[in-house]
Amino acid sequence: QVQLVESGGALVQSGGSLRLSCVASGFTLENHAIGWFRQVPGKEREGIICISSTSYSNKIYVYENAIEGRFTISRDNAKNTVYLQMNNLRPEDTAAYYCARRVRCSRYEDFYEYWGQGTQVTVSS
């Protein structure tokens, strides 16, 4: 019954903003690390940012230099939801974006237990 569902992906012009949502069900999201990954067809899925559990002080880890200063991860415990706020989007941000659950944050896919279905972000030039 554990489930993660992403939403918010869209077609947006370069320089625009989007907010992606990752809604959890079947577990209390704040007790886990939640990472965001993105994947372009034909390329490996890469971890870009992660927020740790409450017990690990909600620390934020940025794994991709290209998003530094543009993407923000946050958690709304009342809604059991993690958000990815994406500003100043670039065409190279075009990808399918996934959220996933892990005990502790990591940039690698290993031991992320549950994954959402993904949401597509397309940034036009």
Side-chain angles (χ1 to χ4, degrees):
Q1 294 184 348
V2 170
Q3 190 174 25
L4 296 169
V5 178
E6 304 98 332
S7 63
L11 172 64
V12 63
Q13 66 181 9
S14 181
S17 298
L18 288 172
R19 188 180 73 165
L20 307 184
S21 298
C22 174
V23 180
S25 59
F27 70 98
T28 301
L29 191 148
E30 66 177 307
N31 294 335
H32 302 265
I34 300 295
W36 283 97
F37 291 73
R38 65 185 182 185
Q39 186 173 33
V40 176
K43 298 182 65 177
E44 293 185 352
R45 187 157 53 186
E46 66 170 351
I48 57 171
I49 195 167
C50 184
I51 185 168
S52 67
S53 66
T54 298
S55 64
Y56 282 93
S57 304
N58 292 312
K59 293 182 178 179
I60 296 172
Y61 301 87
V62 178
Y63 301 124
E64 173 55 58
N65 290 338
I67 73 165
E68 186 72 42
R70 300 189 298 120
F71 290 14
T72 302
I73 190 170
S74 62
R75 193 198 319 269
D76 186 332
N77 294 334
K79 295 182 178 180
N80 214 32
T81 299
V82 164
Y83 300 99
L84 181 65
Q85 179 67 45
M86 306 186 297
N87 298 324
N88 194 24
L89 283 161
R90 307 166 180 169
E92 52 264 44
D93 295 319
T94 295
Y97 284 74
Y98 301 84
C99 64
R101 192 189 90 172
R102 202 179 190 272
V103 174
R104 298 170 65 178
C105 281
S106 173
R107 69 183 300 164
Y108 305 109
E109 293 188 18
D110 296 24
F111 302 112
Y112 277 95
E113 306 152 315
Y114 298 96
W115 294 79
Q117 82 289 348
T119 186
Q120 179 67 37
V121 172
T122 302
V123 184
S124 62
S125 300

